[in-house]
Amino acid sequence: MPDAPYIVGVDIGGTKVACVLADGEGRIVARQWQPTRSAEGWQVVVGQLFEMTERVLQGVSPQLVRGIGISCGGPLDSQAGIVYSPPNLPGWEAVPIKSLFEERFGLPTRLENDANATALAEYRFGAGRGSRNMVFMTWGTGIGGGLVLDGRLYRGTNDLAGEIGHTTVLLDGPLCGCGKRGCLEALASGPSIARRARELAGESPDSLVWQKSSPEGVTAQHVVEAAQEGDLFARYVLAEAATYMGIGIANVAQILNPERVVLGTIAVKAGELVLEPLRRALAVHAWQRVRQVLQVVPAELGDRAQDLAAVCLWLED
Ligand SMILES: [Zn+2]
């Protein structure tokens, strides 16, 4: 459908919902956003999405629209187009979002989990540009992943490919939100960095971290800031998390042999403070021939990623 230049991108987040109209080159021509009224139930949120979609489509003939892309936190079934109660969207038990949009707008609609959709955006427009095999990893509240292999998104059998955050990197390690022990996410995510700082607070009473926050209120952001100001304790906590991240990436690299690993928020904010220890762990745990073709880099799109992620679902082909 090369003669249908426009794409609608819908981003469903726990705090914010957004809708854009983009052209076939990914340029955003209209944008709407609202705080997510998630407490009022899924019907209200879908109503918000419909209203914003109508606004960005105002004056645009449906024949000029290739399709609607929807990016949402999982778990979800991308084929059937159904969202199954993501942790940030309470009450979304089996919401058939794809068919709801198709019935309402008469436009073909695709649904994808947000990590996969963001992977496509970084692959096409961001730090993954020019690579053929790319692993994208969110690195913030959670550690999610998206795999673009030979230029195509790899979803796995039931949309669970790329869940790198829940690979085991420490036997009998801390309990993860998923119920297992020793997951990468339980050792290297933002909340895990905060927990580790709290655990070690008694050994580091003079750290800058404790001038920024009490142990109860500490976040990864406090640790990153203190590390940037030269605080050795904060640097130690970050390096420990980054070491586990390096082990996780080494495992993925040994399996997939990618040329690019693109890392989200914490790598973007902390830069070399995490990338340096991460590369050292990678050097220990991945073969030299695997490493010699691999670049580990921070994501580039920042806030633009959310706008482009859902749009990319119609740029893939
Ligand atoms: Zn887990």
Side-chain angles (χ1 to χ4, degrees), residues 21-34:
L21 185 71
D23 69 13
E25 305 299 315
R27 283 180 291 251
I28 307 298
V29 294
R31 185 168 196 277
Q32 293 276 322
W33 76 274
Q34 296 176 8

Side-chain angles (χ1 to χ4, degrees), residues 166 176 178 183:
H166 302 284
C176 182
C178 77
C183 290

Side-chain angles (χ1 to χ4, degrees), residues 200-314:
L200 298 174
E203 296 169 34
S204 60
D206 301 328
S207 164
L208 276 179
V209 174
W210 313 124
Q211 290 176 24
K212 297 174 185 296
S213 168
S214 65
E216 296 72 44
V218 71
T219 65
Q221 178 69 28
H222 296 125
V223 178
V224 170
E225 282 169 16
Q228 281 165 339
E229 290 163 34
D231 185 78
L232 290 179
F233 166 70
R235 288 187 173 197
Y236 169 80
V237 172
L238 277 189
E240 191 183 72
T243 300
Y244 284 113
M245 201 67 173
I247 294 171
I249 292 170
N251 292 341
V252 176
Q254 288 290 142
I255 296 169
L256 297 177
N257 186 205
E259 61 191 302
R260 206 77 56 82
V261 172
V262 176
L263 299 174
T265 315
I266 288 174
V268 174
K269 289 192 173 163
E272 285 302 310
L273 288 170
V274 291
L275 292 173
E276 199 267 333
L278 188 157
R279 287 194 201 100
R280 262 188 285 135
L282 199 58
V284 175
H285 298 284
W287 288 348
Q288 199 273 335
R289 284 176 61 76
V290 168
R291 280 183 283 126
Q292 75 181 13
V293 298
L294 173 62
Q295 287 178 295
V296 180
V297 293
E300 282 179 7
L301 293 177
D303 293 340
R304 287 175 63 218
Q306 273 164 341
D307 281 348
L308 289 169
V311 169
C312 282
L313 302 180
W314 286 95

